[in-house]
Amino acid sequence: MRIGLGEDIHRLVPNRDLFLGGVKIPFENGLLGHSDADCVLHAVMDAILGALAKGDIGVYFPPNDPAYDGADSKLLLKEVVAIMKKEGYRIGNIDVLVTAEAPKLNPYRDAIQTSIAGLLETKKENVGLQLMTNEGLDALGHGEAIAAKAIVLLEECE
Ligand code: MG
């Protein structure tokens, strides 16, 4: 078994679509980034790569590489899942924590869990999702950004 931790934050800005966990969420602002800026999937990817001691997503998908301009993070995660499988591991379970003052994400909990489970080729029961606010404190609490953390346990495939 191997354990890994991932973390990400992106700034919320107007005129961008908001993607969290591979789900498009209706909101007046979206996350700014080189790819679609899905901080949830980025934290998930870094947790898996960290568990494999394979660095982080910056190694595989450099932010200055135009190939990843507006990239769909779901496709990037599929590449990371392929690396995990090639190394002989599968998801044991993963716990994901999202900090967003707005929008309220509870209505999307099921969709986000289902999306992450599908991308990770695991059961929804293996995907924990904690939805937090920052209690109005700091940049997250002022709605200037959304952040995510993920911790993953990988099991060796027989
Ligand atoms: Mg990111």
Side-chain angles (χ1 to χ4, degrees):
M1 285 192 292
R2 299 185 71 100
I3 191 168
L5 175 69
E7 181 170 30
D8 196 24
I9 184 167
H10 282 267
R11 193 181 289 271
L12 269 173
V13 294
N15 304 315
R16 290 269 298 182
D17 287 329
L18 177 61
F19 292 95
L20 292 172
V23 177
K24 191 172 172 181
I25 313 269
F27 192 50
E28 67 254 32
N29 298 321
L31 294 174
L32 181 64
H34 188 60
S35 65
D36 62 14
D38 187 330
C39 62
V40 174
L41 294 191
H42 293 182
V44 168
M45 284 189 263
D46 273 342
I48 295 170
L49 290 172
L52 296 168
K54 289 277 183 189
D56 56 55
I57 54 175
V59 174
Y60 291 89
F61 316 112
N64 53 359
D65 186 337
Y68 302 112
D69 235 339
D72 181 344
S73 295
K74 296 194 290 298
L75 300 180
L76 306 184
L77 177 53
K78 282 187 177 184
E79 289 188 41
V80 170
V81 168
I83 293 166
M84 172 184 80
K85 286 158 76 174
K86 191 164 160 261
E87 293 291 316
Y89 287 90
R90 63 168 176 247
I91 300 293
N93 73 299
I94 186 164
D95 193 19
V96 179
L97 193 155
V98 187
T99 305
E101 210 68 20
K104 293 298 167 211
L105 296 176
N106 217 37
Y108 306 100
R109 177 189 292 279
D110 194 66
I112 294 171
Q113 265 177 306
T114 300
S115 167
I116 294 172
L119 291 163
L120 295 181
E121 303 177 22
T122 191
K123 290 184 284 189
K124 210 173 100 183
E125 291 73 26
N126 295 331
V127 180
L129 182 64
Q130 304 185 49
L131 301 172
M132 326 275 295
T133 71
N134 215 40
E135 294 287 335
L137 296 165
D138 301 329
L140 286 170
H142 296 144
E144 294 170 24
I146 292 178
K149 292 184 175 75
I151 188 162
V152 69
L153 195 69
L154 303 185
E155 296 174 344
E156 269 180 83
C157 299
E158 293 84 39

